[in-house]
Amino acid sequence: MCGIVGYVGGRDAIEVLMGGLRRLEYRGYDSAGVAVIADDGRLATHKRAGKLGVLEADLVAEPLPEGGTGIGHTRWATHGGPTDVNAHPHLGDDGRLALIHNGIIENYAVLRDELLAEGHTFASETDTEVAAKLVGREYAATGDLVSAFRAVVGRLHGAFTLLAVHADEPGLVVGARRNSPLVVGLGDGEQFLGSDVAAFVQYTRRALAIGQDQIVAIRAGGIELTDFAGRPVEGEPYEVAWDASAADKGGWSSFMAKEISEEPEAIEQTLLERVVDGVVVLDEIAEGFPADVLSAVTRIVVLGAGTAAYSGLLGKYAIEKWAKVPVEVELAHEFRYRDPVLDASTLVVSISQSGETMDTLMAVKYASERGARTLSICNTQGATIARESDAVLYTRAGPEVAVASTKAFTAQVVALYLLGLHLARVRGALTDDEIRGLTDELRALPAKLRTVLQTGPEIRELARSMSDTRSVLFLGRHVGYPVALEGALKLKELAYIHAEGFAAGELKHGPIALIEPGQRVFVVVPSPRDSTSLHPKVVSNIQEIRARGAHVLAIAEAGDVAVLPHADEVLRIPLAAPMFEPLLAVAPLQIFAMELAAAKGLDVDQPRNLAKSVTVE
């Protein structure tokens, strides 16, 4: 959720901090603040509720003094509402220490009572101020910020990233993390900290992820990394695969519009060097999952939340069909609370765009502790879930700034399909010729998807004509069912209207009661060429709801004439094998949700109440 930035170096810290926070806006927030140690040794802070523009205007009207050491934060309210006083930074040691925090300190009430008993007072309702007071108390005793951190972090329960500066130690920012992301940006004569590499990629693409229960101290000349006990730790630097320009709108009306346009490229990049002579080769998972391990897998459990879970449902269809392995798809936040049966023959595949989704991270840890093998699919280098897993398959979609996922979903599905084909080959479930036929379909998708995206203006007009719609239903069967779920989720996220996705076969088992004259219903129509004979069943569903006055909007493949007499609107997608149609059918629904939200005057990149990376349970 929250955005965190830290800086030490020769630049104006406020400029670096505000730029980093601007690039982290996608994470979701409702207040913002900065702290800087001025060149004259003063600690100066400013924080405001609202968007970054409010804080920026204040800083223009009343500039903070210049300095080369600082921290910045965007907060998503948990403890206490989104007010000026609850915004970060919070102060300790009589206002000489400033601290920012991402996550939730679960035992803050006990610690707060301890401080109250000692005579401390609190200005805010936050758990963060408790941490600031604790670190400030320890600093007063030790005179050393790193030692003060070490004395406090082991007492905190929950998930947290903490950054702090102290007026007595200019040129130093100290950070710590547990179950919440923190990354170092390695510069030349300057160092950066961020909750995401986007915080500093404008200045350096060399990064180092901070591990679980570690403390980092950054100074202009370098970094020191230790565990919570003070033992030195060796980090593993890596190169960020994209630059700051990739996170700019580039002339598009929104980040979401740009990211939908990048879906064909996201597929191409995810396939790059993973299909050799028509056969899938996943060298990056070979060490963690050699052929004998994959051959011994008897069951796969796919974990995700929201959009990631829906991509997992599509992966289930593909993996079971191609690799002949039973697959279960579970919501990550429910998984570990039901005491699931796991063993060494179970492969747990976790899906997370950020690689920091707390529900999914805790589920992965749970699975590992119980002997299951773990593979993560994520889009962010050095992410915690990737490092906690036995192997990782990166989606290579590039930065996704809009809160509601689009191109990451598409890339996740492609990665799952690659995994399914790799498993099929290793386990002998498909011949190489059969796999080549399927990879030919995969490699044809980007061009077909570009054709779909050209229908954007048509979908925009449709969305504008429905701007006063208050409820939309989505139906699909087989691989069309997860597409219906994802279409409904996008509409809920962006347009704030009632939207539900159903398996079309469930229609007569209850949902048909929702159908009334004028009800808008999107139907994902399977190919009439599909041997499952689902096409006539779905056309029958359309007839049933049309007979009750519904307005039907069908997504059907080119040449499907059977659907024409029964649908009010038909959005066409190119011909593709049935398993690959979802990657074409989902794009019109993404565009529709975006355009309907825009027609209502809503912010499609930052929907209310949502955060890009959910880093608390």
Side-chain angles (χ1 to χ4, degrees), residues 466 469 471 515-521 545 548-553:
M466 293 173 57
T469 299
S471 175
I515 303 300
E516 59 186 7
Q519 173 66 53
R520 304 300 179 106
V521 184
I545 58 178
R548 289 159 177 82
H551 186 96
V552 176
L553 306 103

Side-chain angles (χ1 to χ4, degrees), residues 42-84:
R42 288 181 294 151
L43 174 64
T45 69
H46 195 70
K47 56 186 184 176
R48 286 295 305 273
K51 293 299 185 182
L52 268 178
V54 178
L55 178 63
E56 286 175 326
D58 280 8
L59 291 174
V60 170
E62 298 182 37
L64 292 182
E66 287 193 8
T69 304
I71 53 178
H73 187 266
T74 50
R75 174 181 185 253
W76 193 77
T78 54
H79 295 72
T83 64
D84 289 354

Side-chain angles (χ1 to χ4, degrees), residues 176-329:
R177 70 153 298 232
R178 170 179 288 168
N179 297 329
S180 184
L182 182 60
V183 187
V184 179
L186 302 169
D188 183 9
E190 59 184 356
Q191 310 298 331
F192 307 81
L193 287 169
S195 47
D196 188 309
V197 296
F200 52 74
V201 74
Q202 177 181 350
Y203 303 103
T204 179
R205 291 169 62 179
R206 292 179 59 236
L208 183 149
I210 305 303
Q212 177 77 340
D213 288 356
Q214 292 180 357
I215 296 173
V216 62
I218 65 167
R219 296 176 175 85
I223 72 167
E224 296 174 8
L225 188 60
T226 64
D227 62 18
F228 279 7
R231 294 181 292 261
V233 176
E234 288 293 327
E236 296 184 8
Y238 62 92
E239 193 80 9
V240 180
W242 50 274
D243 59 24
S245 64
D248 292 334
K249 288 182 185 177
W252 290 88
S253 59
S254 64
F255 280 110
M256 176 166 279
K258 175 177 181 281
E259 287 154 13
I260 292 173
S261 79
E262 292 170 343
E263 289 187 56
E265 183 182 358
I267 295 174
E268 290 167 340
Q269 291 299 312
T270 302
L271 293 176
L272 189 64
E273 298 177 347
R274 289 169 170 162
V275 178
V276 180
D277 295 328
V279 176
V280 175
V281 179
L282 300 181
D283 289 337
E284 62 260 60
I285 70 170
E287 182 176 350
F289 289 96
D292 61 326
V293 170
L294 291 177
S295 296
V297 168
T298 60
R299 167 173 164 254
I300 296 174
V301 179
V302 179
L303 302 175
T307 286
Y310 300 152
S311 72
L313 286 172
L314 286 169
K316 169 185 170 69
Y317 286 106
I319 294 170
E320 288 191 337
K321 181 177 179 63
W322 298 334
K324 309 303 180 189
V325 184
V327 180
E328 304 164 24
V329 181

Side-chain angles (χ1 to χ4, degrees), residues 30-184:
D30 43 41
S31 62
V34 292
V36 62
I37 299 178
D39 293 336
D40 61 8
R42 288 181 294 151
L43 174 64
T45 69
H46 195 70
K47 56 186 184 176
R48 286 295 305 273
K51 293 299 185 182
L52 268 178
V54 178
L55 178 63
E56 286 175 326
D58 280 8
L59 291 174
V60 170
E62 298 182 37
L64 292 182
E66 287 193 8
T69 304
I71 53 178
H73 187 266
T74 50
R75 174 181 185 253
W76 193 77
T78 54
H79 295 72
T83 64
D84 289 354
V85 73
N86 287 332
H88 300 198
H90 289 282
L91 303 179
D93 195 18
D94 295 324
R96 297 184 62 75
L97 175 143
L99 180 143
I100 58 179
H101 163 226
N102 188 11
I104 292 177
I105 299 171
E106 295 174 354
N107 61 333
Y108 86 100
V110 173
L111 297 170
R112 190 173 188 270
D113 288 344
E114 174 187 312
L115 290 165
L116 286 169
E118 295 177 3
H120 292 269
T121 60
F122 291 85
S124 76
E125 305 167 79
T126 67
D127 53 345
T128 306
E129 191 177 7
V130 172
K133 299 287 188 185
L134 287 171
V135 176
R137 183 184 68 179
E138 295 299 329
Y139 189 91
T142 64
D144 180 82
L145 190 55
V146 175
S147 297
F149 251 59
R150 190 171 298 126
V152 170
V153 291
R155 300 190 62 197
L156 306 181
H157 300 168
F160 56 83
T161 295
L162 303 174
L163 262 62
V165 293
H166 197 287
D168 293 350
E169 295 193 64
L172 171 68
V173 178
V174 178
R177 70 153 298 232
R178 170 179 288 168
N179 297 329
S180 184
L182 182 60
V183 187
V184 179

Side-chain angles (χ1 to χ4, degrees), residues 285 289 347-350 373-377 389 391-393 419:
I285 70 170
F289 289 96
L347 170 59
V348 173
V349 179
S350 63
R373 309 285 298 204
T374 57
L375 169 68
S376 63
I377 292 175
S389 303
V392 56
L393 193 58
L419 177 62

